[in-house]
Amino acid sequence: MITHVVMMKFKPEVTPEDIDELSSLLERLPDRIHEIQSYDFGRDIVRSDRSYDFALVSVFANLDTLKHYQTHPEHQVVVKKLGGMCAHLAAVDYENAPYHQQFDADIDPWKSRNLFQPS
């Protein structure tokens, strides 16, 4: 599995209507690009000096499906829109951990000392 994360810092002239239009374009993608396994995005709510304005997190089965997403015509519409909106854009694509901690149903995983350790 590959997780694709994009963070966007908008230009000062970007309007709330521009952001709504971007959100509408993004909402359509999972129905049109079937390689998307998980898709979430939204505006920053903390708004600190180091915050980006908007983020997208999506999951793909492998690099081939991520590449298909990146070159898909519907995604290219979003890329073009972002080109006009973003002063800075950062992305990271990483391979998900090859393990997932298994927990007993009766044990609260958040209280486990090994929450982020391989099983």
Side-chain angles (χ1 to χ4, degrees):
M1 303 281 271
I2 304 295
T3 297
H4 174 65
V5 180
V6 180
M7 297 187 309
M8 302 150 219
K9 182 72 87 171
F10 296 135
K11 295 176 182 175
E13 64 269 19
V14 170
T15 66
E17 292 78 22
D18 292 327
I19 298 168
D20 289 345
E21 184 181 340
L22 172 64
S23 294
S24 293
L25 291 171
L26 291 171
E27 284 175 358
R28 297 184 335 199
L29 293 185
D31 290 333
R32 297 175 181 196
I33 306 174
H34 301 289
E35 288 80 4
I36 298 171
Q37 293 189 353
S38 175
Y39 207 69
D40 195 25
F41 59 86
R43 294 194 71 175
D44 176 61
I45 59 172
V46 174
R47 299 190 182 182
S48 72
D49 289 340
R50 68 182 191 134
S51 293
Y52 278 68
D53 298 314
F54 200 94
L56 164 78
V57 179
S58 51
V59 176
F60 299 87
N62 53 47
L63 283 174
D64 288 337
T65 57
L66 173 61
K67 289 176 185 175
H68 182 266
Y69 162 79
Q70 291 174 324
T71 59
H72 193 282
E74 293 283 338
H75 180 255
Q76 290 302 307
V77 171
V78 173
V79 169
K80 184 176 180 181
K81 174 89 174 151
L82 288 174
M85 292 177 65
C86 290
H88 187 75
L89 193 137
V92 64
D93 301 290
Y94 64 89
E95 190 168 18
N96 296 35
Y99 62 86
H100 295 281
Q101 182 81 20
Q102 298 297 319
F103 295 101
D104 185 296
D106 296 326
I107 298 174
D108 182 352
W110 296 107
K111 293 180 181 174
S112 169
R113 292 177 187 243
N114 297 319
L115 179 61
F116 298 105
Q117 301 299 317
S119 47

